[in-house]
Amino acid sequence: MKKTKELKKLLAVVFAGAIAVTAFAGCGESGSSSDSSSKDSSTSGELMSNEEIIKKAAADGKVGNWGLGNEYEILALLQKYDLPTKYLSEDFTMDGFDQDDITLASAMTFNELGLVKNDYDGGYKYGDTVGTIDMNDEGVAMLEDNIFCTKEFAKKNPNTVKAFLYASMKGWKYAVENPEEAAQIVFDAGSSVSSDHQLYMAKEVAKLVKTDTKGKTVSNYGNMDEDAMQQTLDLCKKYVQLDDSSAVKKLEGFTLDDIRDTQYIDAANKSKDGKFGTLEKTDVTIQLKWLPQAQFMGYYVAQAKGYYDEVGLKVTITPGGGDISETTAVNNGTVDFGVTWVANLTSANAGGMDLLEIAQVYQRSGLELVYKKDLFTK
């Protein structure tokens, strides 16, 4: 039992590092415990609608979120239904959900949701007794993992940027089409989670890369969908809290042109061979948001398959989770490229950095709210 609980915490903390790098002020409140329901209980009666579930959980004060920059979609969802924008502070296990302290819990599709549903070691084994509310379907989705560099680096090294994106997107395409092999490649690269969970993650991440917020299949990986990008920026303006008044004013005035440039990914996707002329820099580094895991499988696949070598690049993949965040590392020149969320980049630029998104890897939000069906029947 002790070993299982420790593994649950280890698996769940994978996501903690991915969102804890850039923390903003939250609206969390401490929760109180209640009697735990049985995992084996079957549902009876008619399941409530999403709106009814959200309103009931909010009235009970049992909507949960981590509150580290991922709360914006939850705030938007609550406001959509004219509810107070309050939530419980969720830790990086799903124990609060398991014990019914939180009845509508935040979960990333590729991590926490898998722990809740699956029966592999470390999982909570709820299977199909749980339901989910999808931020994309609710119209409050915000885009997550992208590739970025500084505006100066892109301007000085356009061929290098295009070649890097070409090889990276080739890696992502292969990973999406071959999730089992991609999961093994990441596992061999030093994954800190089990191979079973890594495979689950790979299959779920593939869905985020190849499907947009409206459920349509994406043909050009890394594409920056105008509507999804604008929605993310608009939600940032509404919900991101910054202490500095000049940063707040700067954020309010942002347009998409202040945070992204589509020319590099467009050129990469149009290329047949990844040849863009002389590369200005051949040794480059990309810093991830967290440790090796399938969340970043495209880069590991591109490296393992030799796609970076093919375009004349030597690429070093640096795990995140250290003392220096990916936005800071890129901005100060420690690394050339980084992986971050749109909200992180937008906030960093409002605070004085000069970062530029050059590809949007995840095409839809990976955030869902998970609930036990037997707690929300009429």
Side-chain angles (χ1 to χ4, degrees):
M1 179 62 73
K2 181 178 179 182
K3 180 179 179 182
T4 298
K5 287 185 176 180
E6 289 176 348
L7 184 52
K8 285 178 181 177
K9 291 180 180 179
L10 174 61
L11 292 173
V13 82
V14 166
F15 180 63
I19 66 175
V21 172
T22 303
F24 304 107
C27 303
E29 299 179 348
S30 60
S32 59
S33 62
S34 63
D35 293 336
S36 176
S37 66
S38 171
K39 300 178 186 180
D40 298 323
S41 60
S42 58
T43 60
S44 61
E46 181 183 354
L47 186 65
M48 294 179 180
S49 67
N50 282 1
E51 181 175 355
E52 291 170 328
I53 292 171
I54 295 165
K55 287 184 174 180
K56 183 180 187 305
D60 293 339
K62 292 191 174 185
V63 178
N65 188 261
W66 307 281
L68 293 171
N70 197 199
E71 71 269 29
Y72 311 133
E73 290 165 284
I74 303 304
L75 300 181
L77 181 67
L78 292 171
Q79 189 166 84
K80 172 185 174 180
Y81 292 109
D82 298 317
L83 297 168
T85 52
K86 296 181 179 180
Y87 58 87
L88 292 176
S89 295
E90 192 172 322
D91 66 17
F92 298 112
T93 71
M94 296 304 286
D95 289 349
F97 172 81
D98 186 42
Q99 298 162 7
D100 292 340
D101 295 334
I102 297 173
T103 58
L104 194 54
S106 293
M108 299 303 288
T109 57
F110 58 84
N111 192 23
E112 288 85 4
L113 185 58
L115 297 178
V116 167
K117 296 177 69 173
N118 290 319
D119 61 1
Y120 46 61
D121 196 9
Y124 292 81
K125 306 178 182 180
Y126 279 97
D128 60 5
T129 67
V130 298
T132 60
I133 296 174
D134 191 312
M135 299 302 104
N136 301 282
D137 297 339
E138 290 291 333
V140 295
M142 297 178 73
L143 297 176
E144 293 145 7
D145 288 29
N146 62 44
I147 304 175
F148 71 101
C149 60
T150 63
K151 294 178 181 178
E152 181 181 11
F153 184 88
K155 185 177 181 180
K156 291 183 176 179
N157 306 278
N159 292 341
T160 295
V161 171
K162 293 171 187 175
F164 178 77
L165 291 181
Y166 175 89
S168 295
M169 293 308 110
K170 189 174 179 179
W172 273 109
K173 184 175 187 298
Y174 188 93
V176 167
E177 294 173 352
N178 302 276
E180 293 85 358
E181 184 178 352
Q184 187 61 48
I185 288 173
V186 178
F187 187 76
D188 292 341
S191 168
S192 61
V193 302
S194 70
S195 58
D196 287 335
H197 190 56
Q198 198 69 263
L199 177 57
Y200 169 84
M201 293 181 75
K203 291 179 177 179
E204 290 302 316
V205 166
K207 298 174 185 177
L208 303 180
V209 175
K210 68 180 181 181
T211 312
D212 67 18
T213 58
K214 299 179 179 64
K216 296 180 180 178
T217 300
V218 175
S219 56
N220 291 331
Y221 290 171
N223 177 58
M224 296 184 215
D225 181 83
E226 198 81 0
D227 291 339
M229 288 284 294
Q230 188 62 56
Q231 177 170 292
T232 302
L233 179 58
D234 290 342
L235 290 175
C236 283
K237 291 181 178 181
K238 191 168 186 178
Y239 295 108
V240 169
Q241 298 180 30
L242 300 172
D243 295 330
D244 185 81
S245 59
S246 61
V248 172
K249 185 175 181 180
K250 190 173 182 180
L251 175 60
E252 291 173 349
F254 273 165
T255 68
L256 290 181
D257 289 336
D258 292 306
I259 62 172
R260 63 95 170 98
D261 192 331
T262 63
Q263 65 171 302
Y264 304 102
I265 189 62
D266 288 345
N269 283 330
K270 289 176 182 177
S271 176
K272 300 296 183 183
D273 57 9
K275 305 300 181 183
F276 301 98
T278 302
L279 302 183
E280 300 86 2
K281 186 176 184 181
T282 56
D283 285 19
V284 296
T285 301
I286 181 170
Q287 180 167 321
L288 311 178
K289 281 189 69 64
W290 191 232
L291 303 175
Q293 60 185 48
Q295 180 181 351
F296 315 109
M297 60 186 181
Y299 316 108
Y300 288 103
V301 169
Q303 188 176 63
K305 291 291 180 181
Y307 299 154
Y308 290 128
D309 295 334
E310 290 173 3
V311 298
L313 289 174
K314 179 181 178 182
V315 176
T316 300
I317 301 175
T318 300
D323 295 333
I324 301 177
S325 72
E326 70 281 357
T327 51
T328 299
V330 170
N331 190 66
N332 66 21
T334 301
V335 298
D336 304 298
F337 301 100
V339 176
T340 197
W341 291 3
V342 176
N344 295 158
L345 186 150
T346 301
S347 300
N349 277 5
M353 294 190 188
D354 199 28
L355 308 176
L356 184 71
E357 177 172 341
I358 52 176
Q360 182 60 49
V361 180
Y362 284 19
Q363 296 291 304
R364 61 190 282 113
S365 172
L367 179 63
E368 293 187 346
L369 287 170
V370 61
Y371 59 88
K372 299 174 186 175
K373 293 178 182 177
D374 61 356
L375 297 182
F376 295 97
T377 54
K378 298 179 181 179

